[in-house]
Amino acid sequence: MNKKNVIIVMIDGGRLDKVKNSYIFNILKSKSIFFSNSITYGPHTIAAMHAVFSGCYGSRTGTNSYWSTFKFKKNEFKTLTEYLKESNYYTHADVINQLVVPKQGFDNYVVHDELNDDLIENHRNLLEQMHQKNLENKKFFLYLHYSKIHTGIMNEVLKVYDNYSKEFFSNKEENMLRYEKLFQAAESYLNKILEKIHQLSLEKNSIILVMSDHGISVGEKIGERAYGAFCYDYTLRTFTYFLIPGFEAREVKQQIRTIDFMPTILELLDISLDETSSALDGVSLSPLIQGKSSDELYAFSETGNPLHEKAPPKESNVKSIRTSKWKLILNEYNDTKELYNLELDPDENKNLIGTGEKIEEVLWVELKRLINKHD
Ligand SMILES: [Zn+2]
């Protein structure tokens, strides 16, 4: 069987608006299937990445908050890594800490030092090592976590301001400049990684996914200085590029969910789902990748707003449901709802709840169904 390698390059905290104007990302776009409306399940790394690896919402897998890595129901939900491991892949992760992605199935799970390590050098070396595996007739799965945007935000925002700091929210321009500097370093990183991939001809025998787990605030909404407090699009809407040998480049504008990546990769590799595992929430994006049509599905997201506490709550208290056009948010901590027309109001400033929009009830019924199904 002619199986391909799998490489995931995860730009932690990458904002969609920045890739759209990026020279490096636009070169990548010209070669890949670019999903410009990808919605994450959780606007923070742990919930986001467990959902990606399991193809399921954290409300079902158990990993639905900052605190729930060890609640992941590993006997019920099989991860992408486990599927690949069972298909005889060598599996390696290079990550920011012990908690962010499920360890199940990894031959090697290496935690880098986000403050001191040179990720360009480390990850280029890893690509060399993986290439060596191919030469030994072994396929590989490599997960590369680019953590430096997070590190910069941690040092320059999280440690300096709180979610209500006037100084932060009144200096959006400065916040954007700070973010752009961190983003430029991510571009250089990606450029060097893609260069190495090309040098080793890995794009010819690998499925390569370049993605971000969530965006990061530059001061859009008071109450969230970085991410993880709200369910607005500047954190929920992410970017996704699939480089797949033999597939034409295209942009898919229809809404998709990051839980769809896992079934997509399995289908592309002809690996069938384990019927003894729980059913997936995600669906394969293979039709869209081939330019065929596919029904748009609802995207569910949730997070735990810390409000005035220092740490996020154990359970999520903000939930949202989204289509390309509309979003309904439920704030469980004060029992309020918000409704936005994302086409006319992409920055989500005009709350249309209770104004008679018919879609409100449709989304509410669907959100309740998702919440109850998962409880
Ligand atoms: Zn993250």
Side-chain angles (χ1 to χ4, degrees):
M1 212 183 299
N2 184 25
K3 289 252 192 273
K4 294 180 178 65
N5 306 304
V6 178
I7 304 172
I8 298 180
V9 182
M10 207 286 270
I11 308 294
D12 195 330
R15 278 179 68 108
L16 177 67
D17 57 348
K18 292 293 129 199
V19 302
K20 287 186 170 169
N21 300 312
S22 158
Y23 178 70
I24 308 285
F25 279 92
N26 278 320
I27 294 176
L28 174 62
K29 183 184 168 190
S30 72
K31 298 174 187 168
S32 61
I33 297 107
F34 173 48
F35 289 95
S36 53
N37 202 354
S38 310
I39 306 302
T40 191
Y41 155 68
H44 60 94
T45 318
I46 291 175
M49 293 316 297
H50 279 73
V52 168
F53 273 78
S54 62
C56 291
Y57 292 129
S59 41
R60 285 179 60 225
T61 66
T63 304
N64 60 347
S65 74
Y66 277 90
W67 308 102
S68 55
T69 294
F70 300 113
K71 288 188 178 164
F72 186 77
K73 296 170 185 157
K74 56 184 176 192
N75 298 325
E76 287 173 49
F77 296 90
K78 201 159 154 177
T79 64
L80 172 65
T81 325
E82 290 177 297
Y83 276 104
L84 296 175
K85 174 84 186 148
E86 280 174 17
S87 300
N88 213 20
Y89 279 62
Y90 174 77
T91 52
H92 187 112
D94 190 87
V95 295
I96 180 174
N97 66 42
Q98 299 282 352
L99 304 172
V100 284
V101 301
K103 282 184 179 165
Q104 293 85 266
F106 277 110
D107 290 309
N108 222 337
Y109 186 99
V110 177
V111 174
H112 62 242
D113 175 350
E114 64 170 310
L115 293 171
N116 300 308
D117 280 358
D118 179 345
L119 296 183
I120 294 178
E121 197 192 318
N122 282 6
H123 291 178
R124 282 167 67 100
N125 288 340
L126 276 173
L127 287 162
E128 295 266 6
Q129 288 171 32
M130 294 305 116
H131 178 59
Q132 203 54 42
K133 295 280 173 198
N134 277 175
L135 298 177
E136 292 158 13
N137 268 326
K138 184 100 177 161
K139 295 291 173 196
F140 68 82
F141 167 43
L142 179 63
Y143 174 77
L144 299 176
H145 195 128
Y146 179 77
S147 53
K148 300 275 183 178
I149 296 178
H150 167 268
T151 311
I153 294 296
M154 178 178 74
N155 288 331
E156 296 168 49
V157 176
L158 295 175
K159 288 182 179 170
V160 181
Y161 306 106
D162 67 29
N163 276 338
Y164 301 90
S165 296
K166 277 208 179 79
E167 204 191 329
F168 180 80
F169 292 97
S170 58
N171 283 308
K172 275 169 92 171
E173 269 179 40
E174 195 187 306
N175 298 338
M176 188 50 111
L177 287 174
R178 181 192 305 112
Y179 183 86
E180 278 169 354
K181 220 171 125 195
L182 295 168
F183 187 79
Q184 279 159 16
E187 286 177 297
S188 310
Y189 162 84
L190 184 65
N191 190 30
K192 293 286 184 194
I193 295 305
L194 293 174
E195 190 185 270
K196 187 53 137 185
I197 285 173
H198 183 66
Q199 209 181 78
L200 298 168
S201 293
L202 288 171
E203 82 275 16
K204 294 202 176 85
N205 61 2
S206 311
I207 295 169
I208 301 163
L209 166 61
V210 178
M211 61 169 291
S212 96
D213 53 349
H214 54 79
I216 287 181
S217 159
V218 289
E220 284 92 340
K221 304 265 188 186
I222 294 170
E224 182 174 61
R225 71 197 187 287
Y227 53 86
F230 293 141
C231 283
Y232 296 119
D233 271 11
Y234 60 84
T235 66
L236 287 191
R237 206 172 150 182
T238 61
F239 54 77
T240 305
Y241 302 81
F242 271 100
L243 276 164
I244 312 165
F247 285 84
E248 261 174 66
R250 68 175 77 249
E251 177 175 351
V252 179
K253 293 183 176 164
Q254 172 174 331
Q255 169 176 287
I256 58 121
R257 299 85 46 88
T258 59
I259 52 167
D260 299 328
F261 299 165
M262 182 258 207
T264 303
I265 294 170
L266 292 182
E267 186 175 358
L268 290 169
L269 294 172
D270 228 355
I271 297 174
S272 38
L273 290 170
D274 186 341
E275 281 170 17
T276 64
S277 272
S278 286
L280 302 186
D281 294 316
V283 300
S284 171
L285 303 172
S286 177
L288 294 171
I289 284 173
Q290 295 170 63
K292 296 177 190 159
S293 70
S294 182
D295 288 341
E296 182 178 287
L297 300 170
Y298 290 109
F300 171 66
S301 305
E302 62 182 320
T303 194
N305 189 332
L307 300 164
H308 288 277
E309 301 295 321
K310 278 229 169 338
K314 295 268 183 294
E315 295 297 330
S316 63
N317 57 16
V318 182
K319 296 172 183 178
S320 73
I321 185 161
R322 191 190 188 283
T323 65
S324 304
K325 193 170 175 192
W326 292 95
K327 189 195 285 176
L328 178 75
I329 300 173
L330 169 65
N331 300 304
E332 286 181 336
Y333 57 85
N334 65 2
D335 204 23
T336 59
K337 289 183 213 162
E338 297 163 55
L339 179 71
Y340 297 102
N341 182 328
L342 300 170
E343 269 179 3
L344 300 176
D345 176 28
D347 296 334
E348 298 161 278
N349 289 320
K350 196 173 173 205
N351 182 1
L352 297 174
I353 205 78
T355 60
E357 293 287 354
K358 287 201 184 78
I359 191 75
E360 181 181 320
E361 183 62 16
V362 176
L363 291 176
W364 176 234
V365 167
E366 194 59 31
L367 181 61
K368 272 196 296 192
R369 194 184 68 78
L370 278 162
I371 293 172
N372 291 332
K373 185 172 138 194
H374 294 153
D375 274 349

